[in-house]
């Protein structure tokens, strides 16, 4: 699999982004812990068992996540970690990536005014760049009409009565509040 296919970034662009990304990463971890809480005592140090030991690994991790939008479980497995750790790393690396892109002047423009300033054109000219493309209407499947011989039937499994025990003992047994070995009476 090619690096560009996974990240949408060339290797040259990655090497250009790494120093700024690493600085933003360490600046973020100077005030925040990996679990998202404010840092109060020790400073961040990279653990020997870290699944993302190098800046390039961390950048690849977050760029691949943004490109593929994989489930965190899958993304974590690809990088050798569980879903909870993948979630922590995503929440740490996203702000670092955005800060690095802002420092390099490559952050996405969030308004038409910002885009016009970046392109050095008027807002009207910038609007032509972002004008939505004309889309073809989506094809809608035709549904056969219902006839008395074959009525159209749609079954919704949620519309049924749920029989629940009326007896207090049975209710407690059902929800697990009382063990079945307990005798009443």
């Amino acid at each position: 699999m090619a690096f560009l296919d996974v990240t949408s970034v060339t290797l040259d662009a990655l090497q250009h982004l790494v120093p700024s990304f690493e600085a933003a990463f360490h600046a973020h971890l100077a005030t925040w812990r990996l679990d998202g809480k404010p840092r109060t005592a020790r400073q961040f140090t990279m653990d020997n068992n870290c699944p993302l030991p190098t800046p390039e690994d961390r950048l690849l991790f977050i760029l691949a996540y943004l490109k593929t939008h994989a489930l965190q479980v899958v993304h974590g497995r690809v990088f050798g970690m569980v879903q909870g750790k993948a979630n922590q790393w995503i929440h740490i690396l996203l702000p670092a990536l955005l800060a690095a892109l802002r420092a390099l002047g490559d952050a996405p423009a969030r308004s038409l005014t910002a885009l016009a300033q970046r392109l050095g054109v008027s807002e009207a000219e910038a609007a032509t760049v972002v004008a939505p493309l004309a889309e073809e209407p989506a094809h809608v499947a035709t549904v056969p009409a219902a006839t008395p011989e074959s009525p159209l039937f749609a079954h919704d499994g949620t519309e049924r009565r749920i029989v629940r025990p009326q007896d207090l003992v049975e209710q407690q047994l059902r929800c697990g509040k009382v063990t079945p070995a307990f005798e009443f009476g």
Side-chain angles (χ1 to χ4, degrees):
M1 202 174 351
F3 184 77
L4 185 63
D5 295 335
V6 176
T7 63
S8 293
V9 176
T10 63
L11 287 173
D12 292 336
L14 178 86
Q15 292 304 323
H16 177 70
L17 183 57
V18 165
S20 180
F21 174 74
E22 190 62 6
F25 172 72
H26 284 288
H28 184 80
L29 286 180
T31 55
W32 297 98
R33 298 186 328 201
L34 281 176
D35 61 2
K37 295 179 181 174
R39 188 168 298 280
T40 56
R42 298 182 310 173
Q43 61 182 348
F44 174 75
T45 57
M46 193 61 63
D47 188 10
N48 292 339
N49 298 332
C50 180
L52 304 171
T54 66
E56 291 81 5
D57 289 337
R58 291 187 283 276
L59 194 52
L60 173 64
F61 177 86
I62 197 63
L63 291 174
Y65 177 76
L66 291 173
K67 167 79 184 254
T68 62
H69 294 289
L71 293 173
Q72 289 180 358
V73 172
V74 175
H75 200 64
R77 293 288 178 189
V78 168
F79 284 87
M81 61 183 86
V82 296
Q83 181 272 331
K85 286 293 179 190
N87 181 283
Q88 281 183 342
W89 278 107
I90 289 166
H91 282 85
I92 290 294
L93 297 177
L94 276 175
L97 179 62
L98 185 56
L101 291 173
R102 284 184 180 144
L104 295 171
D106 291 332
R110 296 293 182 192
S111 68
L112 190 58
T113 306
L115 179 63
Q117 287 176 345
R118 180 172 295 164
L119 296 175
V121 297
S122 69
E123 283 189 37
E125 291 172 320
T128 61
V129 174
V130 295
L133 300 173
E135 295 182 14
E136 295 180 19
H139 177 70
V140 178
T142 58
V143 177
T147 62
E149 300 83 41
S150 67
L152 196 59
F153 179 74
H155 176 69
D156 183 4
T158 61
E159 294 182 13
R160 64 179 175 85
R161 187 172 183 274
I162 298 174
V163 180
R164 293 191 173 90
Q166 298 299 313
D167 185 36
L168 179 64
V169 174
E170 289 179 23
Q171 287 177 0
Q172 290 176 338
L173 284 172
R174 179 183 167 100
C175 71
K177 290 184 179 178
V178 177
T179 60
F182 185 84
E183 284 189 16
F184 294 97

